[in-house]
Amino acid sequence: MTIMLPGAPHLARVAGALTLDGVDLDMLGRQFGTPLFVYSQRSMLDAAVAYQRALVGRPHLVCYAMKANSNLAVLQTFASAGCGFDIVSGGELERVLAAGGQPGHIVFSGVGKTRAEMQQALAVGVRCFNVESESELHRLSQVAVAMGRVAPVSLRVNPDVDAGTHPYISTGLRDNKFGVAHEQAVQVYRVAASLPGLKVVGIDCHIGSQITHSSPYLDALDRLLDLVEAVEAEGIAIAHVDLGGGLGITYTDERPPRADELVAAMLARLDARGHGHREVLLEPGRSLVGNAGVLLTEVQYLKPGAAKNFCIVDAAMNDLLRPALYQAWMAIEPCRQRSGDALHWDVVGPVCESGDWLGRDRSLAVVEGDLLAVLSAGAYGMAMASNYNTRPRAAEVMIVDGQPVLVREREQASTLFAGERLLPAPR
Ligand SMILES: *Cc1c(COP(=O)(O)O)cnc(C)c1O
């Protein structure tokens, strides 16, 4: 019997075995070792196409927000699908160029761009800087003039709408650090238009992450279009409207709109307000990769107790931070279903922190040595991994046309301290 799992279109249970794109995950974990991230390329491509399908016939660019998962093979996958990229650092710029991304399809976001990062981005010719403050405008203009360049800019406006998501991933409220306040935006556009090293090309917002309703997007779009009209009334042309990313995925019972539904609703609003001719940019991250990935981990020890039962696995908060950071709930499935009694387990890692858990109070029938899969781990999983406790980061495998391809080797402990130096011997 094949059982489809919610929110994970490419995962199935076939005769008790959990599969991704038809590949048996238990066998994959034994072959490549654990902890192991596994991604379905098919799932990533399908997610990108859902956005693109809705934008056919319009000038548009879907810029993958690569901080969600910046593996080179993931970037290569989206570049081949015609996506651009949303970057937030000079390091991400180097990465995306190494993966074959085109500079002219890159938008550069982030509140703290350094001069060096600006120079790096101007030298390769990124498509646009999403500028987040008036000070940044002045700095960017100076850097561009010194290089004999003109920097294309869009202002990231803070529309002051509530995305209805976790406070750590809500970015469009007045008291967030992100963007230029709505009330100041027209004035800041005047400054941008007056500076010699800049050319205004667009407007931008990004209101948060894991958003599960269309209404905050439509509210933000309305606020943005009010500004576009006010700014253009001053003779400053705005070519593109960038609505950011943030669309949620199903981790448990969330029912976010489908990407094509959301985009259709946005386009209808643009048309209704007479802005249908504008180029539309989007910056999805999580919704392109989240459901495409799983984290495989092996059960090391079972420790039943009076108050709680602990299932200690070989993946930890350094591999997958979301549960510890946001109390995020992520589904955990055994790679092989076993008969026998399920108990309630707290699935925890070996790191020396009580916050080191992957799931709490999960009903599982497991024995030591079994493999578990944490689902929906394709976004903000490996990208947030650290080396805390001198734990080498996991390997990554991508399933391409039904075949597993190793796309990142498991780290070695020795490389983690290769750049460190012992003190000189005392004289
Ligand atoms: C993180 C981020 C995104 C992507 O957010 P998701 O929730 O992963 O879609 C897009 N734009 C900017 C500026 C971001 O910082």
Side-chain angles (χ1 to χ4, degrees), residues 51 63 65 67-68 86-88 109-110 130 132 156 171 178 204-206 208-211 217 244-248 283-288 379-380:
Y51 279 95
C63 296
K67 73 175 189 286
D86 174 71
I87 65 168
V88 292
S109 299
N130 289 340
E132 304 216 13
R156 175 168 176 183
T171 55
F178 299 101
D204 157 58
C205 72
H206 170 70
S209 198
Q210 187 53 17
I211 299 166
Y217 284 101
L247 179 59
E283 303 169 353
R286 186 191 312 271
S287 55
L288 293 184
Y380 305 106

Side-chain angles (χ1 to χ4, degrees), residues 408-426:
R408 182 187 172 116
E409 289 172 19
R410 188 173 302 286
E411 238 166 12
Q412 301 294 314
S414 58
T415 59
L416 304 188
F417 52 83
E420 298 175 31
R421 297 286 178 269
L422 290 170
L423 297 172

